[in-house]
Amino acid sequence: DAKTTQPPSMDCAEGRAANLPCNHSTISGNEYVYWYRQIHSQGPQYIIHGLKNNETNEMASLIITEDRKSSTLILPHATLRDTAVYYCIVRVYNTDKLIFGTGTRLQVFP
Amino acid sequence: EPEVTQTPSHQVTQMGQEVILRCVPISNHLYFYWYRQILGQKVEFLVSFYNNEISEKSEIFDDQFSVERPDGSNFTLKIRSTKLEDSAMYFCASSPPTGGLNEQYFGPGTRLTVT
């Protein structure tokens, strides 16, 4: 089972920051947090991952709390094309697989 | 930008028939995966493959399933005798050579319909 809890849906106005929360209270010290998204029925798309430090790339920022029990994905300027299901995944140490939950359906509106 | 490609995009087959789903991973990647997503359900891990052998598989990946990297570029998933419940989107993914905790890049999927 997925080790994360996410709200089922969120809305965001175009051009505003989208902040997607994720709880992973049972995360272990060597487990990473990954974020993927799935636009309609396309293949999941990698966004970002991190262990304990905050991370930023061209797509998004990942903020991980100091106790690592939760994180937030930030899309700084959401566009209509960011409408998708966003998955927060804790990758179990020493395993190849990603365990997807039900994710957060983000709707960006004009 | 390099992409994972999959063929066909849609496959229709009759129950009991064998199907082979094909994937071309990103060229310098060494770790390969198959996932599936039944309509309206979660994305589920099936199998991972490295160095010409399966490194991990799920309970779904039973004796009816097999994977192969026949020619150094393609990565295939074979279902020997399809069942109605095998109808799903099948996604191939690959990871860079350093593997391990690296990100997985997914293909666009093959929609398998078993009638």
Side-chain angles (χ1 to χ4, degrees), chain A residues 6 8 17 21 26 42 47 64 90 107:
Chain A
Q6 299 177 253
T26 61
Q42 297 175 23
I47 301 172
I64 302 175
V90 168
Q107 179 70 52

Side-chain angles (χ1 to χ4, degrees), chain B residues 88-104:
Chain B
M89 282 289 285
Y90 287 81
F91 297 109
C92 172
S94 66
S95 283
T98 42
L101 296 169
N102 272 293
E103 59 273 24
Q104 296 178 18

Side-chain angles (χ1 to χ4, degrees), chain A residues 48-57 60-64:
Chain A
I48 200 166
H49 73 279
L51 182 62
K52 51 186 176 182
N53 297 322
N54 297 338
E55 303 287 344
T56 295
N57 63 21
S61 295
L62 173 61
I63 309 297
I64 302 175

Side-chain angles (χ1 to χ4, degrees), chain B residues 35-74:
Chain B
Y35 291 77
R36 80 171 186 190
Q37 187 174 31
I38 296 170
L39 186 64
Q41 298 188 22
K42 300 176 191 178
V43 177
E44 301 173 288
F45 170 81
L46 293 178
V47 66
S48 59
F49 190 85
Y50 170 70
N51 202 23
N52 282 321
E53 60 182 33
I54 290 173
S55 48
E56 193 170 356
K57 61 182 181 179
S58 71
E59 294 175 353
I60 303 166
F61 194 88
D62 62 20
D63 292 345
Q64 292 300 309
F65 291 86
S66 62
V67 289
E68 196 177 35
R69 188 155 160 79
D71 57 12
S73 62
N74 289 286

Side-chain angles (χ1 to χ4, degrees), chain A residues 1-2 30-32 34 36 38 40-47 49 87 91-102, chain B residues 31 33 35 37 39 41-45 48-49 55-57 89 91 95 99-109 111:
Chain A
D1 283 347
N30 50 13
E31 292 176 336
Y32 281 68
Y34 288 75
Y36 283 77
Q38 189 174 26
H40 202 232
S41 296
Q42 297 175 23
Q45 178 188 19
Y46 167 79
I47 301 172
H49 73 279
Y87 299 100
R91 188 162 176 185
V92 176
Y93 180 71
N94 216 25
T95 180
D96 293 333
K97 61 187 175 190
L98 297 172
I99 302 175
F100 288 80
T102 52
Chain B
Y31 295 78
Y33 315 86
Y35 291 77
Q37 187 174 31
L39 186 64
Q41 298 188 22
K42 300 176 191 178
V43 177
E44 301 173 288
F45 170 81
S48 59
F49 190 85
S55 48
E56 193 170 356
K57 61 182 181 179
M89 282 289 285
F91 297 109
S95 283
L101 296 169
N102 272 293
E103 59 273 24
Q104 296 178 18
Y105 293 89
F106 285 75
R111 180 173 300 283

